[in-house]
Amino acid sequence: MELREEHVSSKPIFEGKIIRVTLDEARLPDGKLARREVCYHPGGVAILALDEDETVYLVQQYRYPIDKILLELPAGKLEDGEDHGLAAARELSEETGLEADSFTYLGYTLASPGFCDEALHMYLARGLHRNQQHLDEDEFLNVIPMPFAQLAEKCMSGEITDAKTVTTTLKVKILLGL
């Protein structure tokens, strides 16, 4: 059975600092037309920074859309045309003050493909060195060190629910056999 939908038209709804939203019309495989609300996002990076004693560095920050303080991996959005590997190094440094000797690319995950094209590129950072944290002017967070095993437990128990953190943690757990 054919599953692909054909784009027919697009109407801009909103253009902001981070996202762009359109109301699209698509032709379904059976020939009928359907409306699709689409959110376009430049994508982002998530970094699991792991030191030699298996400590991982998380960030604790308030997330306005859900009115909660979350514990997450350092992460951030890609700047226009920015290479995601360079973005990973930039975000790790900005949010935690850590620099890494190596970054291992773990692939990407789609945040919510039912309405949004956001791809989150995941990295493992090793060979960590402390430097100066330099947050964006509208960014407020705490850096929380934690044993990797405890992070994995919190992901499995549902205490940590942030998708990029759960996905990256489980990938690293399997990759390194931790």
Side-chain angles (χ1 to χ4, degrees):
M1 174 199 278
E2 176 61 37
L3 299 175
R4 184 171 298 278
E5 297 178 6
E6 177 188 342
H7 175 263
V8 175
S9 66
S10 241
K11 176 183 172 190
I13 300 297
F14 173 79
E15 184 143 356
K17 179 180 171 185
I18 298 174
I19 64 167
R20 178 173 57 89
V21 180
T22 63
L23 179 59
D24 292 5
E25 189 172 53
R27 186 169 318 285
L28 303 176
D30 66 3
K32 294 179 183 171
L33 295 176
R35 291 170 40 144
R36 299 288 185 243
E37 296 168 358
V38 183
C39 176
Y40 296 95
H41 185 285
V45 293
I47 308 96
L48 193 147
L50 187 66
D51 70 15
E52 62 281 343
D53 70 353
E54 296 182 4
T55 297
V56 64
Y57 296 86
L58 303 160
V59 294
Q60 182 184 51
Q61 60 186 326
Y62 176 75
R63 292 301 196 177
Y64 182 86
I66 60 170
D67 190 27
K68 288 186 180 178
I69 296 171
L70 295 183
L71 194 58
E72 309 172 31
L73 292 179
K77 86 173 181 61
L78 295 172
E79 300 302 331
D80 190 33
E82 184 178 26
D83 174 81
H84 53 79
L86 296 176
R90 175 181 52 78
E91 286 294 338
L92 180 63
S93 176
E94 284 178 7
E95 292 193 356
T96 67
L98 294 170
E99 309 287 336
D101 291 336
S102 69
F103 288 85
T104 302
Y105 184 57
L106 303 171
Y108 70 92
T109 188
L110 298 172
S112 189
F115 76 95
C116 186
D117 72 343
E118 180 183 13
L120 293 163
H121 299 273
M122 299 169 286
Y123 282 88
L124 169 62
R126 303 297 301 263
L128 304 178
H129 309 280
R130 179 132 328 266
N131 205 332
Q132 284 290 92
Q133 182 186 47
H134 43 104
L135 299 172
D136 293 337
E137 66 180 34
D138 63 347
E139 198 169 34
F140 301 89
L141 54 83
N142 297 317
V143 177
I144 309 291
M146 177 182 294
F148 180 84
Q150 185 180 0
L151 170 62
E153 288 170 16
K154 288 178 180 290
C155 288
M156 291 303 295
S157 73
E159 187 175 338
I160 291 180
T161 56
D162 171 59
K164 68 185 174 300
T165 301
V166 172
T167 303
T168 307
T169 300
L170 297 180
K171 280 186 170 251
V172 168
K173 183 172 178 56
I174 290 169
L175 177 71
L176 299 181
L178 297 176

